[in-house]
Amino acid sequence: MERNGCGTGCLVVLTVVTMPLVLIVGVLLSAATVSAAELEYRAAHGEGTTGTFTATDLDCSGRGPCRWEGVFESSARTRQDAWIYGYGPLDLSEGDRVPALDAGHDVKVFRPGSYDWPGVLLLSALSLATLLLPAYVLLRVLRKRPTAGSG
């Protein structure tokens, strides 16, 4: 007799297929979190290449807040596809040139003295939840399974 609607076939699918996939996603999210935290740490401590960001376009097309896209120039390189963290939509105008810090991200540069700690916290919480979900679900399923002789 099944108490929770999950029989042997459900348990096999849950443990053999679904949970390893969720764990893989959790590990990948954790790796992304560590990488993002490293970049945010570097930005918070002013480590990286300083330069100038020229605002060219205010992009409000994503789900998050609007962000300024533009060109990052330093003595070492120029990036045409950069966007800057630390300035809101009303802080800059098209053509404004402001100091910026490249902490090593592919496209993101930072306003000196700013870093994206809420983003890292959110990513950390998501990766932790994804890693703990399989253990929680498995414990719930095993706890509700009837023992031999009960009925």
Side-chain angles (χ1 to χ4, degrees):
M1 184 167 122
E2 299 173 16
R3 292 177 53 199
N4 64 353
C6 186
T8 305
C10 174
L11 190 58
V12 168
V13 168
L14 187 67
T15 57
V16 175
V17 178
T18 307
M19 291 304 126
L21 290 175
V22 172
L23 282 173
I24 289 170
V25 169
V27 168
L28 292 174
L29 272 173
S30 297
T33 301
V34 169
S35 176
E38 177 188 2
L39 293 175
E40 300 304 329
Y41 177 85
R42 287 177 46 86
H45 289 85
E47 298 174 8
T49 305
T50 57
T52 304
F53 178 82
T54 305
T56 58
D57 185 42
L58 181 61
D59 180 13
C60 295
S61 62
R63 292 183 191 171
C66 298
R67 67 181 188 198
W68 279 100
E69 296 180 343
V71 178
F72 174 77
E73 296 175 279
S74 70
S75 58
R77 65 191 276 195
T78 298
R79 285 202 330 232
Q80 302 291 329
D81 61 346
W83 65 274
I84 193 162
Y85 178 84
Y87 289 100
L90 302 176
D91 295 335
L92 299 176
S93 297
E94 190 173 321
D96 284 355
R97 293 175 53 89
V98 294
L101 175 72
D102 179 2
H105 195 279
D106 292 338
V107 294
K108 180 178 176 182
V109 295
F110 297 86
R111 177 183 195 166
S114 68
Y115 55 97
D116 187 11
W117 64 267
V120 172
L121 287 178
L122 182 64
L123 196 55
S124 298
L126 184 61
S127 63
L128 183 62
T130 306
L131 285 172
L132 294 177
L133 178 67
Y136 173 76
V137 170
L138 189 59
L139 284 173
R140 294 277 302 176
V141 167
L142 291 176
R143 186 173 290 157
K144 290 188 176 190
R145 290 193 50 83
T147 57
S150 66

